[in-house]
Amino acid sequence: MRVLTVVGARPQYIKAAPLSKELLKVGIEEILVDTGQHYDPQMAGIFFAELGLPEPSHSLGVGSGPHGQMTGRILERLEEVIVDVEPEAVVVFGDTNSTLAGALAAAKMSLPVIHIEAGLRSFRSSMPEEINRKLTDHISSVLLCPNSQAVDNLKREGIADNGVGSGLISVDEIKHQFKRKKPFVCNVGDIMVDGLNSIKNVDVEIDGIGDVVNGDYVLVTLHRAESTDDSQVFKGMIDRIIDLSKRISVVFPIHPRTLKKLHETGLFNILKQADVQMLEPLSYAQFVKLQSNARVIVTDSGGVQKEAYLLSRPCVTLRDETEWTETVKAGWNQLIGRKPENLVETVLSAKVPDEPQVNLFGDGKAASRIAQCISSVKYTLQ
Ligand code: UD1
Ligand code: UDP
């Protein structure tokens, strides 16, 4: 069997790596296509070598641009690749423009779309990621959810029927269920757990960070459009991060979108003069090491909220809502909103909850379940 996998943004390289290894094990041929949505070496290239991801057989080189242009370019270029490669199914991850364009190209060519990280919702309809993930779910044939809540979201939207179980699926059940459910929806667990488990004990150097990593510090990431694109919101967040740096060391690996905004708004020099340790985006092993040792993680990232929980670090999220509500309910994640007036107090008082952690994101074997689901596609979805 031959599948085509579409990647293009940082978290997609990280999610694709464990799956590529499993596909190889079960003898499925994978054609990896990199859309080039992310292209800086620190946002894309470094992950191939670090995570053992195979070199892409096609690089679409779309680069940055407005949503329509980026999505349209991927769609046009991917269609040609699909004609050339003749895959039996197309795999997409998450909720980026690369996800939607990949799904749309495949669905229009009558190929089954396999959506990994299906069913997530923020219920903020203006968010580009919410548009991408909802549309992708509606045109997918195989919807592989990371947790039970995502399955429930798909039931509410009528994509999954009410009989679908929301617990972690077993391999036997995959075979059985595939024969009768179209579209096929199940909870395979979160593939980020697989990737995180394989890297979290790797020790790496992080240049330019001195002794900070051995001390007491807060790790900050920021990149979402709704954080950066409104100058007042953005300035408010940066001002509070500077306030925080007066009380505790702050380490801030900066996403290129955010770096651009810092320069455009003149905030870069202000941040530079403050006591904030600004870094380039880091490799996965470096970033996981920084997360593991942080007192608290402050972020607007989806993946980072989840990894904070998995690494047992308290998280403060600079958003009004989250797709990962279980982390909030469990007491590990506080939603402070996009106008985080109380950031300093919230971070300094954030604690590890007393209750033991429960397994919110599966058992670290999502990649092998996904490979099983993919190999079942050819028998059932013709
Ligand atoms: C994208 C995804 C977002 C995901 C994030 C992961 C969409 C709509 N958004 O957001 O869901 O959380 O990736 O990191 O798909 N840039 C560079 N170099 C790069 C990449 C980007 O300079 O390698 C700059 C460009 O100025 C670009 C901007 O960052 O315009 C935004 O990049 P884009 O891919 O449009 O969105 P992200 O914010 O990265
Ligand atoms: N990450 C990384 N280097 C960094 C920052 C983040 O490797 O400097 C990893 C992080 O561990 C997580 C993923 O990138 O696995 C999250 O990606 P991002 O925040 O860009 O996107 P989101 O998850 O919000 O879509």
Side-chain angles (χ1 to χ4, degrees), residues 10-11 14-15 38 42-43 47 50 95-96 192 221 223-224 253-255 280-285 287-288 291 299-304 307:
R10 171 167 68 187
I14 292 169
K15 290 166 199 171
H38 287 174
Q42 290 298 116
M43 292 297 291
F47 298 107
E50 180 182 37
D95 54 21
T96 71
M192 285 187 88
T221 81
H223 77 278
R224 225 158 260 295
I254 303 184
H255 187 286
E280 285 202 329
L282 297 171
S283 82
Y284 190 41
F287 189 73
V288 168
Q291 288 185 97
T299 193
D300 64 356
S301 157
V304 174
E307 287 174 348

mmCIF file of all heavy atoms in Angstrom, residues 10-11 14-15 38 42-43 47 50 95-96 192 221 223-224 253-255 280-285 287-288 291 299-304 307, ligand 2:
data_model
loop_
_atom_site.group_PDB
_atom_site.id
_atom_site.type_symbol
_atom_site.label_atom_id
_atom_site.label_comp_id
_atom_site.label_asym_id
_atom_site.label_seq_id
_atom_site.Cartn_x
_atom_site.Cartn_y
_atom_site.Cartn_z
ATOM 1 N N ARG A 10 6.067 23.226 11.738
ATOM 2 C CA ARG A 10 6.876 22.618 12.802
ATOM 3 C C ARG A 10 6.198 21.458 13.538
ATOM 4 O O ARG A 10 6.773 20.357 13.609
ATOM 5 C CB ARG A 10 7.303 23.713 13.792
ATOM 6 C CG ARG A 10 7.965 23.191 15.041
ATOM 7 C CD ARG A 10 8.642 24.296 15.820
ATOM 8 N NE ARG A 10 7.735 25.246 16.418
ATOM 9 C CZ ARG A 10 8.124 26.370 17.035
ATOM 10 N NH1 ARG A 10 9.403 26.682 17.109
ATOM 11 N NH2 ARG A 10 7.242 27.190 17.569
ATOM 12 N N PRO A 11 4.995 21.661 14.098
ATOM 13 C CA PRO A 11 4.426 20.537 14.859
ATOM 14 C C PRO A 11 4.110 19.323 13.994
ATOM 15 O O PRO A 11 4.020 18.200 14.505
ATOM 16 C CB PRO A 11 3.156 21.131 15.475
ATOM 17 C CG PRO A 11 2.865 22.371 14.700
ATOM 18 C CD PRO A 11 4.159 22.863 14.161
ATOM 19 N N ILE A 14 7.091 17.041 13.828
ATOM 20 C CA ILE A 14 7.221 16.338 15.107
ATOM 21 C C ILE A 14 6.206 15.178 15.189
ATOM 22 O O ILE A 14 6.525 14.090 15.663
ATOM 23 C CB ILE A 14 7.063 17.360 16.266
ATOM 24 C CG1 ILE A 14 8.282 18.303 16.262
ATOM 25 C CG2 ILE A 14 6.879 16.676 17.613
ATOM 26 C CD1 ILE A 14 8.179 19.517 17.166
ATOM 27 N N LYS A 15 4.992 15.404 14.685
ATOM 28 C CA LYS A 15 3.959 14.352 14.745
ATOM 29 C C LYS A 15 4.200 13.268 13.688
ATOM 30 O O LYS A 15 3.851 12.106 13.880
ATOM 31 C CB LYS A 15 2.562 14.976 14.539
ATOM 32 C CG LYS A 15 2.109 15.840 15.702
ATOM 33 C CD LYS A 15 0.912 16.707 15.344
ATOM 34 C CE LYS A 15 0.791 17.859 16.338
ATOM 35 N NZ LYS A 15 -0.187 18.876 15.976
ATOM 36 N N HIS A 38 6.490 26.159 6.490
ATOM 37 C CA HIS A 38 7.636 26.579 7.304
ATOM 38 C C HIS A 38 8.898 26.195 6.540
ATOM 39 O O HIS A 38 8.956 25.132 5.925
ATOM 40 C CB HIS A 38 7.602 25.922 8.680
ATOM 41 C CG HIS A 38 6.544 26.507 9.577
ATOM 42 N ND1 HIS A 38 6.237 26.008 10.815
ATOM 43 C CD2 HIS A 38 5.711 27.587 9.400
ATOM 44 C CE1 HIS A 38 5.276 26.740 11.374
ATOM 45 N NE2 HIS A 38 4.930 27.695 10.531
ATOM 46 N N GLN A 42 15.474 26.412 11.349
ATOM 47 C CA GLN A 42 15.079 26.163 12.750
ATOM 48 C C GLN A 42 13.595 25.820 12.903
ATOM 49 O O GLN A 42 13.150 25.397 13.967
ATOM 50 C CB GLN A 42 15.390 27.392 13.616
ATOM 51 C CG GLN A 42 16.863 27.645 13.841
ATOM 52 C CD GLN A 42 17.542 26.509 14.590
ATOM 53 O OE1 GLN A 42 18.415 25.855 14.039
ATOM 54 N NE2 GLN A 42 17.146 26.262 15.828
ATOM 55 N N MET A 43 12.815 26.044 11.837
ATOM 56 C CA MET A 43 11.379 25.731 11.901
ATOM 57 C C MET A 43 11.043 24.452 11.141
ATOM 58 O O MET A 43 9.939 23.932 11.242
ATOM 59 C CB MET A 43 10.552 26.884 11.294
ATOM 60 C CG MET A 43 10.584 28.162 12.080
ATOM 61 S SD MET A 43 9.878 27.996 13.724
ATOM 62 C CE MET A 43 8.140 27.741 13.372
ATOM 63 N N PHE A 47 14.375 19.360 12.047
ATOM 64 C CA PHE A 47 13.603 18.240 12.591
ATOM 65 C C PHE A 47 13.802 16.949 11.795
ATOM 66 O O PHE A 47 13.649 15.864 12.344
ATOM 67 C CB PHE A 47 12.112 18.610 12.659
ATOM 68 C CG PHE A 47 11.863 19.784 13.567
ATOM 69 C CD1 PHE A 47 11.545 21.030 13.065
ATOM 70 C CD2 PHE A 47 12.008 19.647 14.942
ATOM 71 C CE1 PHE A 47 11.353 22.120 13.907
ATOM 72 C CE2 PHE A 47 11.818 20.727 15.796
ATOM 73 C CZ PHE A 47 11.490 21.962 15.276
ATOM 74 N N GLU A 50 17.032 15.432 13.194
ATOM 75 C CA GLU A 50 16.887 15.153 14.632
ATOM 76 C C GLU A 50 15.919 14.003 14.915
ATOM 77 O O GLU A 50 16.156 13.179 15.789
ATOM 78 C CB GLU A 50 16.387 16.425 15.338
ATOM 79 C CG GLU A 50 16.207 16.244 16.832
ATOM 80 C CD GLU A 50 15.667 17.479 17.518
ATOM 81 O OE1 GLU A 50 14.824 18.191 16.952
ATOM 82 O OE2 GLU A 50 16.103 17.711 18.662
ATOM 83 N N ASP A 95 -4.162 21.151 12.080
ATOM 84 C CA ASP A 95 -5.108 22.215 11.723
ATOM 85 C C ASP A 95 -4.478 23.398 10.993
ATOM 86 O O ASP A 95 -4.965 24.510 11.072
ATOM 87 C CB ASP A 95 -5.786 22.726 13.001
ATOM 88 C CG ASP A 95 -4.761 23.142 14.051
ATOM 89 O OD1 ASP A 95 -3.609 23.410 13.680
ATOM 90 O OD2 ASP A 95 -5.125 23.203 15.243
ATOM 91 N N THR A 96 -3.387 23.165 10.288
ATOM 92 C CA THR A 96 -2.746 24.290 9.598
ATOM 93 C C THR A 96 -3.299 24.432 8.178
ATOM 94 O O THR A 96 -4.078 23.588 7.710
ATOM 95 C CB THR A 96 -1.224 24.078 9.499
ATOM 96 O OG1 THR A 96 -0.987 23.024 8.564
ATOM 97 C CG2 THR A 96 -0.599 23.718 10.843
ATOM 98 N N MET A 192 1.628 12.781 19.795
ATOM 99 C CA MET A 192 2.708 13.582 20.397
ATOM 100 C C MET A 192 3.314 12.874 21.614
ATOM 101 O O MET A 192 4.461 13.120 21.964
ATOM 102 C CB MET A 192 2.209 14.964 20.797
ATOM 103 C CG MET A 192 2.035 15.866 19.589
ATOM 104 S SD MET A 192 1.632 17.543 20.041
ATOM 105 C CE MET A 192 3.262 18.235 20.243
ATOM 106 N N THR A 221 6.500 30.755 25.180
ATOM 107 C CA THR A 221 6.396 30.747 23.705
ATOM 108 C C THR A 221 5.120 31.488 23.308
ATOM 109 O O THR A 221 4.140 31.497 24.057
ATOM 110 C CB THR A 221 6.353 29.340 23.050
ATOM 111 O OG1 THR A 221 5.025 28.807 23.115
ATOM 112 C CG2 THR A 221 7.355 28.380 23.634
ATOM 113 N N HIS A 223 3.023 32.566 19.471
ATOM 114 C CA HIS A 223 3.074 32.650 18.018
ATOM 115 C C HIS A 223 1.711 32.795 17.349
ATOM 116 O O HIS A 223 1.625 33.047 16.157
ATOM 117 C CB HIS A 223 3.756 31.410 17.426
ATOM 118 C CG HIS A 223 2.880 30.196 17.406
ATOM 119 N ND1 HIS A 223 2.716 29.399 18.507
ATOM 120 C CD2 HIS A 223 2.101 29.658 16.428
ATOM 121 C CE1 HIS A 223 1.882 28.409 18.204
ATOM 122 N NE2 HIS A 223 1.493 28.543 16.957
ATOM 123 N N ARG A 224 0.654 32.606 18.103
ATOM 124 C CA ARG A 224 -0.654 32.508 17.468
ATOM 125 C C ARG A 224 -1.098 33.851 16.883
ATOM 126 O O ARG A 224 -0.801 34.912 17.462
ATOM 127 C CB ARG A 224 -1.664 32.039 18.515
ATOM 128 C CG ARG A 224 -2.572 30.982 18.014
ATOM 129 C CD ARG A 224 -3.163 30.180 19.108
ATOM 130 N NE ARG A 224 -2.455 28.935 19.246
ATOM 131 C CZ ARG A 224 -2.424 27.974 18.321
ATOM 132 N NH1 ARG A 224 -3.077 28.111 17.185
ATOM 133 N NH2 ARG A 224 -1.740 26.878 18.522
ATOM 134 N N PRO A 253 12.186 31.297 23.466
ATOM 135 C CA PRO A 253 12.544 30.958 22.071
ATOM 136 C C PRO A 253 11.479 31.561 21.144
ATOM 137 O O PRO A 253 10.297 31.299 21.316
ATOM 138 C CB PRO A 253 12.494 29.421 22.035
ATOM 139 C CG PRO A 253 12.287 28.987 23.462
ATOM 140 C CD PRO A 253 11.667 30.132 24.189
ATOM 141 N N ILE A 254 11.911 32.365 20.186
ATOM 142 C CA ILE A 254 10.950 33.214 19.469
ATOM 143 C C ILE A 254 10.615 32.675 18.069
ATOM 144 O O ILE A 254 11.488 32.512 17.221
ATOM 145 C CB ILE A 254 11.474 34.662 19.401
ATOM 146 C CG1 ILE A 254 11.738 35.159 20.840
ATOM 147 C CG2 ILE A 254 10.475 35.573 18.711
ATOM 148 C CD1 ILE A 254 12.172 36.598 20.946
ATOM 149 N N HIS A 255 9.335 32.430 17.861
ATOM 150 C CA HIS A 255 8.783 31.989 16.569
ATOM 151 C C HIS A 255 8.962 33.136 15.555
ATOM 152 O O HIS A 255 8.835 34.304 15.912
ATOM 153 C CB HIS A 255 7.295 31.686 16.813
ATOM 154 C CG HIS A 255 6.572 31.058 15.670
ATOM 155 N ND1 HIS A 255 6.217 31.760 14.534
ATOM 156 C CD2 HIS A 255 6.094 29.801 15.481
ATOM 157 C CE1 HIS A 255 5.562 30.956 13.709
ATOM 158 N NE2 HIS A 255 5.476 29.760 14.262
ATOM 159 N N GLU A 280 16.598 31.787 19.382
ATOM 160 C CA GLU A 280 15.987 31.327 18.124
ATOM 161 C C GLU A 280 15.076 30.145 18.449
ATOM 162 O O GLU A 280 15.245 29.501 19.488
ATOM 163 C CB GLU A 280 17.084 30.803 17.199
ATOM 164 C CG GLU A 280 17.915 31.855 16.550
ATOM 165 C CD GLU A 280 18.576 31.315 15.296
ATOM 166 O OE1 GLU A 280 18.890 30.111 15.238
ATOM 167 O OE2 GLU A 280 18.758 32.117 14.382
ATOM 168 N N PRO A 281 14.174 29.769 17.544
ATOM 169 C CA PRO A 281 13.434 28.522 17.770
ATOM 170 C C PRO A 281 14.424 27.371 17.950
ATOM 171 O O PRO A 281 15.459 27.329 17.300
ATOM 172 C CB PRO A 281 12.629 28.354 16.472
ATOM 173 C CG PRO A 281 12.529 29.715 15.886
ATOM 174 C CD PRO A 281 13.775 30.446 16.297
ATOM 175 N N LEU A 282 14.083 26.470 18.847
ATOM 176 C CA LEU A 282 15.019 25.404 19.230
ATOM 177 C C LEU A 282 14.673 24.089 18.553
ATOM 178 O O LEU A 282 13.549 23.892 18.087
ATOM 179 C CB LEU A 282 14.962 25.220 20.747
ATOM 180 C CG LEU A 282 15.405 26.438 21.556
ATOM 181 C CD1 LEU A 282 15.093 26.231 23.038
ATOM 182 C CD2 LEU A 282 16.886 26.730 21.363
ATOM 183 N N SER A 283 15.642 23.193 18.592
ATOM 184 C CA SER A 283 15.357 21.826 18.136
ATOM 185 C C SER A 283 14.378 21.194 19.128
ATOM 186 O O SER A 283 14.187 21.709 20.240
ATOM 187 C CB SER A 283 16.642 21.003 18.079
ATOM 188 O OG SER A 283 16.958 20.520 19.368
ATOM 189 N N TYR A 284 13.804 20.077 18.754
ATOM 190 C CA TYR A 284 12.801 19.445 19.628
ATOM 191 C C TYR A 284 13.429 18.997 20.955
ATOM 192 O O TYR A 284 12.894 19.281 22.033
ATOM 193 C CB TYR A 284 12.157 18.272 18.886
ATOM 194 C CG TYR A 284 10.950 17.695 19.586
ATOM 195 C CD1 TYR A 284 10.011 18.519 20.196
ATOM 196 C CD2 TYR A 284 10.733 16.319 19.625
ATOM 197 C CE1 TYR A 284 8.899 17.994 20.835
ATOM 198 C CE2 TYR A 284 9.618 15.787 20.253
ATOM 199 C CZ TYR A 284 8.711 16.632 20.857
ATOM 200 O OH TYR A 284 7.615 16.113 21.494
ATOM 201 N N ALA A 285 14.590 18.344 20.875
ATOM 202 C CA ALA A 285 15.224 17.854 22.112
ATOM 203 C C ALA A 285 15.594 19.028 23.024
ATOM 204 O O ALA A 285 15.413 18.961 24.246
ATOM 205 C CB ALA A 285 16.464 17.025 21.781
ATOM 206 N N PHE A 287 14.135 21.977 23.123
ATOM 207 C CA PHE A 287 12.938 22.608 23.669
ATOM 208 C C PHE A 287 12.307 21.737 24.761
ATOM 209 O O PHE A 287 11.859 22.247 25.790
ATOM 210 C CB PHE A 287 11.932 22.889 22.542
ATOM 211 C CG PHE A 287 10.787 23.727 23.013
ATOM 212 C CD1 PHE A 287 10.955 25.079 23.282
ATOM 213 C CD2 PHE A 287 9.548 23.161 23.243
ATOM 214 C CE1 PHE A 287 9.910 25.848 23.771
ATOM 215 C CE2 PHE A 287 8.489 23.921 23.726
ATOM 216 C CZ PHE A 287 8.674 25.278 23.980
ATOM 217 N N VAL A 288 12.327 20.432 24.541
ATOM 218 C CA VAL A 288 11.759 19.530 25.555
ATOM 219 C C VAL A 288 12.579 19.606 26.849
ATOM 220 O O VAL A 288 12.032 19.609 27.953
ATOM 221 C CB VAL A 288 11.671 18.084 25.002
ATOM 222 C CG1 VAL A 288 11.375 17.083 26.097
ATOM 223 C CG2 VAL A 288 10.596 18.013 23.916
ATOM 224 N N GLN A 291 11.488 22.674 28.579
ATOM 225 C CA GLN A 291 10.161 22.487 29.193
ATOM 226 C C GLN A 291 10.281 21.671 30.480
ATOM 227 O O GLN A 291 9.696 22.020 31.502
ATOM 228 C CB GLN A 291 9.224 21.739 28.240
ATOM 229 C CG GLN A 291 8.768 22.553 27.058
ATOM 230 C CD GLN A 291 7.751 21.774 26.218
ATOM 231 O OE1 GLN A 291 6.550 21.939 26.348
ATOM 232 N NE2 GLN A 291 8.226 20.926 25.352
ATOM 233 N N THR A 299 2.442 30.036 27.514
ATOM 234 C CA THR A 299 2.373 29.759 26.072
ATOM 235 C C THR A 299 1.002 30.077 25.488
ATOM 236 O O THR A 299 0.014 30.180 26.225
ATOM 237 C CB THR A 299 2.709 28.261 25.817
ATOM 238 O OG1 THR A 299 2.935 28.058 24.430
ATOM 239 C CG2 THR A 299 1.600 27.326 26.281
ATOM 240 N N ASP A 300 0.961 30.200 24.160
ATOM 241 C CA ASP A 300 -0.322 30.179 23.455
ATOM 242 C C ASP A 300 -0.364 28.998 22.483
ATOM 243 O O ASP A 300 -1.266 28.892 21.660
ATOM 244 C CB ASP A 300 -0.592 31.508 22.724
ATOM 245 C CG ASP A 300 0.414 31.782 21.615
ATOM 246 O OD1 ASP A 300 1.374 30.995 21.436
ATOM 247 O OD2 ASP A 300 0.247 32.797 20.913
ATOM 248 N N SER A 301 0.632 28.126 22.558
ATOM 249 C CA SER A 301 0.740 26.980 21.643
ATOM 250 C C SER A 301 -0.152 25.829 22.091
ATOM 251 O O SER A 301 -0.284 25.577 23.296
ATOM 252 C CB SER A 301 2.202 26.513 21.628
ATOM 253 O OG SER A 301 2.300 25.158 21.227
ATOM 254 N N GLY A 302 -0.706 25.119 21.123
ATOM 255 C CA GLY A 302 -1.498 23.933 21.459
ATOM 256 C C GLY A 302 -0.613 22.807 21.952
ATOM 257 O O GLY A 302 -0.812 22.259 23.043
ATOM 258 N N GLY A 303 0.404 22.473 21.146
ATOM 259 C CA GLY A 303 1.283 21.360 21.496
ATOM 260 C C GLY A 303 2.008 21.576 22.815
ATOM 261 O O GLY A 303 2.191 20.635 23.595
ATOM 262 N N VAL A 304 2.392 22.811 23.078
ATOM 263 C CA VAL A 304 3.162 23.076 24.297
ATOM 264 C C VAL A 304 2.285 22.921 25.548
ATOM 265 O O VAL A 304 2.744 22.388 26.572
ATOM 266 C CB VAL A 304 3.850 24.465 24.226
ATOM 267 C CG1 VAL A 304 4.520 24.816 25.542
ATOM 268 C CG2 VAL A 304 4.857 24.502 23.070
ATOM 269 N N GLU A 307 2.293 19.199 26.093
ATOM 270 C CA GLU A 307 3.591 18.695 26.555
ATOM 271 C C GLU A 307 3.878 19.131 27.988
ATOM 272 O O GLU A 307 4.502 18.391 28.750
ATOM 273 C CB GLU A 307 4.706 19.169 25.610
ATOM 274 C CG GLU A 307 4.657 18.428 24.281
ATOM 275 C CD GLU A 307 5.629 18.947 23.237
ATOM 276 O OE1 GLU A 307 6.209 20.030 23.420
ATOM 277 O OE2 GLU A 307 5.799 18.264 22.218
HETATM 278 N N1 UDP B 2 8.881 23.304 19.701
HETATM 279 C C1 UDP B 2 10.207 23.122 19.304
HETATM 280 N N2 UDP B 2 11.054 24.189 19.372
HETATM 281 C C2 UDP B 2 10.665 25.418 19.833
HETATM 282 C C3 UDP B 2 9.304 25.582 20.226
HETATM 283 C C4 UDP B 2 8.445 24.498 20.135
HETATM 284 O O1 UDP B 2 10.603 22.015 18.906
HETATM 285 O O2 UDP B 2 11.490 26.336 19.888
HETATM 286 C C5 UDP B 2 7.952 22.150 19.607
HETATM 287 C C6 UDP B 2 7.168 21.852 20.861
HETATM 288 O O3 UDP B 2 7.882 20.986 21.718
HETATM 289 C C7 UDP B 2 5.904 21.212 20.309
HETATM 290 C C8 UDP B 2 5.705 21.904 18.980
HETATM 291 O O4 UDP B 2 6.966 22.494 18.647
HETATM 292 O O5 UDP B 2 6.093 19.825 20.072
HETATM 293 C C9 UDP B 2 4.645 22.963 19.094
HETATM 294 O O6 UDP B 2 4.627 23.702 17.921
HETATM 295 P P1 UDP B 2 4.001 25.166 17.837
HETATM 296 O O7 UDP B 2 3.930 25.778 19.168
HETATM 297 O O8 UDP B 2 4.768 25.878 16.771
HETATM 298 O O9 UDP B 2 2.558 24.881 17.216
HETATM 299 P P2 UDP B 2 1.154 24.396 17.800
HETATM 300 O O10 UDP B 2 1.359 23.189 18.614
HETATM 301 O O11 UDP B 2 0.561 25.545 18.558
HETATM 302 O O12 UDP B 2 0.367 24.160 16.560
#
